[in-house]
Amino acid sequence: MKTDFHFSKDIEMAFKNDPPGQWLSTLPPGCLRLSSGYPAPALVPSEKIKLAVARLLDEERDLPLHYLGSPRVPQLKEFLRQRMAQRGVAASDSELIVTSGACQAIDLIARVILDDEAVVAVESPTYMEALEIFQNYTEHYLAIPIDENGLQTELLADMLADRKEKGQPLPRLLYTIPTYQNPTGTTLSPERRKHVLALAEQYDFLILEDDAYGELGFYDSPSLLKALDTNNRVMYVGSLSKVVAPGMRIGWVVADSRIIDPLNWFKKDLSHPFDQATMASFLETTDFDEHLKFLTNAYESKCATMLSALEEFLPPAVSWFVPKGGYFVWVKIPGVDTSKLLPEALAAGVSFVPGKYFFLNQQDGLEYLRLSFSYANEEEIVKGVELLGQVAGVNIPAAEDKE
Amino acid sequence: MKTDFHFSKDIEMAFKNDPPGQWLSTLPPGCLRLSSGYPAPALVPSEKIKLAVARLLDEERDLPLHYLGSPRVPQLKEFLRQRMAQRGVAASDSELIVTSGACQAIDLIARVILDDEAVVAVESPTYMEALEIFQNYTEHYLAIPIDENGLQTELLADMLADRKEKGQPLPRLLYTIPTYQNPTGTTLSPERRKHVLALAEQYDFLILEDDAYGELGFYDSPSLLKALDTNNRVMYVGSLSKVVAPGMRIGWVVADSRIIDPLNWFKKDLSHPFDQATMASFLETTDFDEHLKFLTNAYESKCATMLSALEEFLPPAVSWFVPKGGYFVWVKIPGVDTSKLLPEALAAGVSFVPGKYFFLNQQDGLEYLRLSFSYANEEEIVKGVELLGQVAGVNIPAAEDKE
């Protein structure tokens, strides 16, 4: 981006990157959406939210439409605080801030913690919007590969030891999605959870635990990093986007109050009382555990359907991780550049997100793609995977020969 | 703020300031609110918004509860574009961004334009939250006094000429609320509007025109700076907070697309589809001009009531500007530190905002206070001003002698 305006010197670096949202495709009409990381239409409680707004405005009239004054705004915060306590994280009022979704939470943390000298450690692959955010602040990264048990902490330990020995700067922050990761669907093992916390203490870095999918486990979920954190090194980011509705923009951070204070300081969209009070009103009449059970049952079934369809329709050379929760299946198609496959897939009527967008070094992700079982219904999932299999089958180089 | 965390180097400067929100008082129960810059409860269309949400969710079901997909989100943007066109500002789709209120708009512009070397020119006094935002970015300011015709552009011209002659850095940005200013209620004269635009061209700075109150004129309003701007030097910031409801968090920026692009880039709370689609649904069944007429009639009457009460109950030494629109009356009580008067006023049952919070150099504002006629009803306004008169009367030093 070149202009004759006087831009901030801090953002000239950011402008070196591609504009955000490159990973978003324009979908043709009727396209089967295996790209969308959204809740399924049938799982979004639009009718209950309509009733929640009506009750809210009948009871409070103008209050939730002002800057301040709705009793349901602190009530939402209290709900989140109690939910965190149930999950093993005791947070005082000054240790929790409600944000406009998880992305704003990540951005605020980045703004407070990072500058152009900071090194950030990230999983490889990781959430593409988090990469977009961090790249507004710094050019310095450590990329730690993921396997079926999540972030490979042994590799991280080696990298840190190597950097320390060479006198290279150590990371100030590790960004991780330990549970039902985006995009891989993997979950960090309990042993590795302890290991990464020990490394944070040993090498003096903070951990941003992005838990957007953590309540969407098909079985028992492992303890949160924040619940295991005895040294206040973890900044926990939660979201109601995947378990209620993304359009309500409700996220939150739990961290040391010395971190929360400056987040408040730099959060200049102010509080969103209408969204927050509406969400509190919805939660008042919702058995949240029952609601989660309803969601996880539905997503588990959709996931199983997708995995069966992958077995049935994809050539044998194609592989994937089996998720235990969340929204995503991470697929590898050897020898195929999935970003070149995408136009064919869209023309055939199915969408996915090419793997390269989830990597700092996009070349590392060419053979991968992210499928989401969250949005499409089961019939659409089967049909979509069948179409993907057809498009992939004719593109895999000498796939049969390799068997 | 001192911590052992690794904070960004950019924000160490910000932490030198007081935390935001110092100007907010805790109001005792029953306090008459002449401090609140909110719309009156009776003027907030809560019943219509309830119906707007019901219609929205009946028609669109899950769409406005996802990240993307509600047709009413672009519809809101189109409404704002057309409204700007009616007010003399033709903006293409790429020249307008919807934000989470005016504060986020100001913060995003600051983030893109400012750094710690930038000089910002501001009116003195000016909107306290804008000062809080700018002080997160830079310590360098020009404060230009206001009179009954707004920003004194002749003084600005002198300051700029002086700086240029001395080789001192010139401002990169002028922040102004030209119409029904917060806190003074003053409006920049047409001659000064032309003068400030000529100065921007001559001295190469950008203008941030904050127009939060511009649609709330009791008579005809002067042309927007943006409507007079032939050189793309004005970044216009609008808001629906004062004319519909602040809790919906709808603001916008109109500017050169080279400015709008990076605002989109750094706006990480994403779009707020539920708020925006609800607002679009509300506007669909609202005659906006009629709605504004209803509001301005109400505020004009409340303003007249406040001015009469000031004449009746305040000692003769006290003076104020007569506003032609907006929310505020700016009052000077000679010889009194209004921040010391505030506890007495609150104890008596009336609130105001001490003038010092609207000044970079708080000492310059000790004798002033901001009254708002927006929130309280007419009976409360009369009673509140009477209480203020009693509290002020006993505190003015030898007020009678000066007459």
Side-chain angles (χ1 to χ4, degrees):
Chain A
M1 166 172 280
K2 273 269 165 260
T3 80
D4 50 359
F5 287 112
H6 309 283
F7 286 110
S8 152
K9 60 188 175 188
D10 291 338
I11 69 168
E12 294 291 350
M13 182 194 64
F15 288 166
K16 291 183 202 163
N17 300 309
D18 289 332
Q22 299 293 309
W23 46 272
L24 263 176
S25 302
T26 304
L27 305 185
C31 184
L32 299 166
R33 286 162 66 166
L34 305 187
S35 55
S36 301
Y38 306 173
L43 301 180
V44 173
S46 57
E47 191 62 30
K48 280 196 74 177
I49 287 171
K50 185 177 89 177
L51 298 174
V53 172
R55 197 174 56 253
L56 170 71
L57 293 176
D58 282 343
E59 288 177 17
E60 296 193 16
R61 304 184 67 86
D62 60 306
L63 288 184
L65 299 169
H66 287 292
Y67 296 105
L68 298 169
S70 167
R72 282 183 172 88
V73 169
Q75 191 178 309
L76 173 66
K77 191 173 172 186
E78 182 58 22
F79 170 87
L80 298 172
R81 224 177 53 76
Q82 289 184 12
R83 188 81 200 161
M84 293 307 297
Q86 284 171 34
R87 302 180 71 203
V89 177
S92 70
D93 193 64
S94 64
E95 291 169 326
L96 191 151
I97 180 178
V98 179
T99 59
S100 294
C103 273
Q104 187 190 42
I106 297 168
D107 185 55
L108 284 170
I109 289 171
R111 181 153 179 206
V112 166
I113 303 292
L114 303 181
D115 51 43
D116 60 2
E117 292 174 1
V119 178
V120 181
V122 295
E123 292 161 346
S124 185
T126 190
Y127 178 37
M128 64 287 189
E129 294 196 62
L131 289 180
E132 286 177 358
I133 290 169
F134 295 134
Q135 288 176 323
N136 282 343
Y137 296 90
T138 180
E139 296 176 301
H140 310 298
Y141 295 92
L142 271 186
I144 304 112
I146 274 195
D147 65 17
E148 66 274 19
N149 293 312
L151 171 75
Q152 298 189 54
T153 55
E154 308 76 11
L155 292 181
L156 173 60
D158 291 347
M159 289 182 197
L160 293 168
D162 186 56
R163 285 195 158 239
K164 188 162 191 184
E165 194 184 306
K166 291 182 179 153
Q168 293 171 336
L170 291 165
R172 196 180 290 182
L173 179 71
L174 166 69
Y175 171 73
T176 174
I177 310 170
T179 312
Y180 320 129
Q181 201 238 14
N182 182 3
T184 63
T186 59
T187 295
L188 193 66
S189 67
E191 298 71 30
R192 286 184 177 176
R193 286 177 192 244
K194 285 179 201 150
H195 191 197
V196 76
L197 288 167
L199 290 171
E201 189 63 12
Q202 183 181 351
Y203 290 97
D204 190 22
F205 58 84
L206 295 171
I207 297 175
L208 198 173
E209 176 179 29
D210 181 345
D211 190 47
Y213 305 92
E215 296 261 41
L216 290 176
F218 307 150
Y219 322 103
D220 281 349
S221 301
S223 291
L224 297 175
L225 284 178
K226 185 68 185 161
L228 303 170
D229 171 32
T230 52
N231 300 305
N232 259 354
R233 293 205 168 267
V234 178
M235 299 169 289
Y236 173 96
V237 171
S239 170
L240 296 179
S241 290
K242 313 302 177 183
V243 294
V244 183
M248 304 289 293
R249 313 301 309 121
I250 306 291
W252 68 99
V253 183
V254 176
D256 190 295
S257 63
R258 290 170 296 172
I259 301 283
I260 299 295
D261 281 349
L263 299 186
N264 262 314
W265 194 299
F266 291 102
K267 186 181 185 312
K268 290 301 180 190
D269 60 330
L270 311 184
S271 166
H272 287 254
F274 184 60
D275 287 338
Q276 293 181 21
T278 296
M279 183 62 83
S281 176
F282 165 77
L283 290 168
E284 272 164 24
T285 56
T286 300
D287 181 327
F288 198 64
D289 286 312
E290 278 301 311
H291 175 72
L292 287 179
K293 197 163 181 56
F294 164 71
L295 292 182
T296 51
N297 284 342
Y299 288 126
E300 184 180 5
S301 173
K302 284 149 68 85
C303 179
T305 297
M306 179 170 275
L307 295 173
S308 299
L310 285 166
E311 288 286 357
E312 182 174 351
F313 296 117
L314 271 289
V318 174
S319 62
W320 52 88
F321 291 136
V322 173
K324 294 180 180 138
Y327 272 14
F328 305 117
V329 180
W330 183 241
V331 177
K332 179 177 184 178
I333 308 184
V336 172
D337 180 344
T338 61
S339 61
K340 293 185 177 151
L341 196 68
L342 183 61
E344 281 184 59
L346 292 174
V350 63
S351 69
F352 60 81
V353 183
K356 69 177 187 179
Y357 297 115
F358 302 93
F359 289 83
L360 281 164
N361 176 7
Q362 296 198 343
Q363 293 298 311
D364 294 344
L366 295 184
E367 296 181 317
Y368 297 90
L369 59 84
R370 189 192 78 177
L371 294 181
S372 171
F373 51 81
S374 64
Y375 187 86
N377 65 37
E378 303 208 16
E379 194 182 335
E380 293 167 337
I381 288 172
V382 174
K383 183 68 189 161
V385 171
E386 184 179 1
L387 292 173
L388 178 66
Q390 291 166 8
V391 172
V394 298
N395 279 279
I396 295 184
E400 298 306 321
D401 299 347
K402 284 191 187 165
E403 285 302 306
Chain B
M1 165 172 279
K2 273 272 165 259
T3 81
D4 51 358
F5 289 109
H6 308 282
F7 285 111
S8 152
K9 62 188 174 187
D10 290 339
I11 68 169
E12 294 291 351
M13 182 194 65
F15 288 167
K16 290 183 202 162
N17 300 308
D18 289 331
Q22 299 293 310
W23 46 272
L24 263 175
S25 303
T26 304
L27 305 186
C31 184
L32 299 166
R33 287 161 65 166
L34 305 187
S35 55
S36 301
Y38 306 175
L43 301 180
V44 172
S46 56
E47 190 62 31
K48 280 196 74 177
I49 287 172
K50 184 177 88 176
L51 299 173
V53 171
R55 196 173 59 251
L56 171 70
L57 293 175
D58 283 342
E59 289 177 16
E60 297 193 15
R61 306 183 66 87
D62 59 304
L63 288 183
L65 299 169
H66 288 293
Y67 296 106
L68 299 169
S70 167
R72 281 183 172 87
V73 169
Q75 191 178 309
L76 174 66
K77 191 173 172 186
E78 182 58 22
F79 170 87
L80 297 173
R81 224 177 54 74
Q82 289 184 11
R83 187 80 200 161
M84 293 306 297
Q86 284 173 32
R87 301 181 71 204
V89 177
S92 70
D93 193 63
S94 64
E95 291 169 328
L96 190 151
I97 180 177
V98 179
T99 60
S100 294
C103 272
Q104 187 190 42
I106 297 168
D107 184 55
L108 284 170
I109 289 171
R111 181 153 178 207
V112 167
I113 302 292
L114 303 181
D115 52 41
D116 60 0
E117 292 173 359
V119 178
V120 181
V122 295
E123 293 163 344
S124 185
T126 190
Y127 178 37
M128 65 288 189
E129 295 197 60
L131 289 181
E132 287 177 357
I133 290 170
F134 295 133
Q135 287 176 322
N136 282 343
Y137 296 91
T138 181
E139 294 175 303
H140 310 297
Y141 295 92
L142 271 185
I144 304 110
I146 276 196
D147 66 16
E148 67 275 17
N149 293 312
L151 171 74
Q152 297 189 54
T153 55
E154 307 76 12
L155 292 180
L156 173 61
D158 290 346
M159 289 181 195
L160 292 168
D162 186 55
R163 285 194 159 239
K164 188 163 191 185
E165 194 184 307
K166 292 183 178 154
Q168 293 170 335
L170 291 165
R172 196 180 289 182
L173 179 71
L174 166 69
Y175 172 72
T176 174
I177 310 170
T179 313
Y180 320 130
Q181 202 238 13
N182 183 2
T184 62
T186 58
T187 296
L188 194 65
S189 67
E191 298 70 32
R192 286 184 177 177
R193 286 176 191 244
K194 285 178 200 150
H195 191 199
V196 76
L197 288 166
L199 291 171
E201 189 64 13
Q202 182 181 352
Y203 291 96
D204 190 22
F205 58 84
L206 296 171
I207 296 174
L208 199 173
E209 177 180 28
D210 180 344
D211 190 48
Y213 305 91
E215 296 261 40
L216 291 175
F218 307 149
Y219 322 103
D220 282 349
S221 299
S223 290
L224 297 175
L225 283 178
K226 184 68 185 161
L228 302 169
D229 171 32
T230 51
N231 300 305
N232 258 354
R233 293 206 167 265
V234 177
M235 300 170 289
Y236 173 96
V237 171
S239 170
L240 296 180
S241 289
K242 314 301 178 185
V243 294
V244 183
M248 306 289 294
R249 313 301 308 123
I250 306 290
W252 69 97
V253 182
V254 176
D256 190 294
S257 62
R258 290 170 296 172
I259 301 283
I260 298 295
D261 282 348
L263 300 186
N264 261 314
W265 193 300
F266 291 102
K267 187 183 182 311
K268 291 301 180 189
D269 60 329
L270 311 185
S271 167
H272 287 255
F274 183 61
D275 286 339
Q276 292 181 21
T278 296
M279 184 61 83
S281 176
F282 165 77
L283 291 167
E284 272 165 25
T285 56
T286 300
D287 181 326
F288 198 64
D289 286 313
E290 278 302 310
H291 175 72
L292 288 179
K293 197 162 182 54
F294 164 70
L295 293 181
T296 50
N297 283 343
Y299 288 127
E300 184 180 6
S301 172
K302 283 149 68 85
C303 179
T305 297
M306 179 170 275
L307 295 174
S308 298
L310 285 166
E311 290 285 358
E312 183 174 350
F313 296 116
L314 271 289
V318 174
S319 61
W320 53 86
F321 290 135
V322 173
K324 293 178 180 141
Y327 271 14
F328 305 117
V329 179
W330 183 241
V331 177
K332 180 176 183 179
I333 309 185
V336 172
D337 180 344
T338 62
S339 60
K340 294 187 178 152
L341 195 67
L342 182 61
E344 280 183 62
L346 291 174
V350 63
S351 68
F352 60 81
V353 183
K356 69 177 188 179
Y357 297 114
F358 302 94
F359 289 82
L360 282 164
N361 177 8
Q362 296 198 343
Q363 293 298 311
D364 293 345
L366 296 183
E367 295 181 316
Y368 297 90
L369 59 85
R370 190 191 78 177
L371 294 180
S372 170
F373 50 81
S374 64
Y375 187 85
N377 65 35
E378 304 209 15
E379 195 182 334
E380 292 167 336
I381 288 171
V382 173
K383 183 68 190 162
V385 171
E386 185 179 0
L387 291 173
L388 178 66
Q390 291 166 7
V391 173
V394 297
N395 279 278
I396 295 183
E400 298 306 321
D401 298 348
K402 284 190 186 166
E403 285 303 305

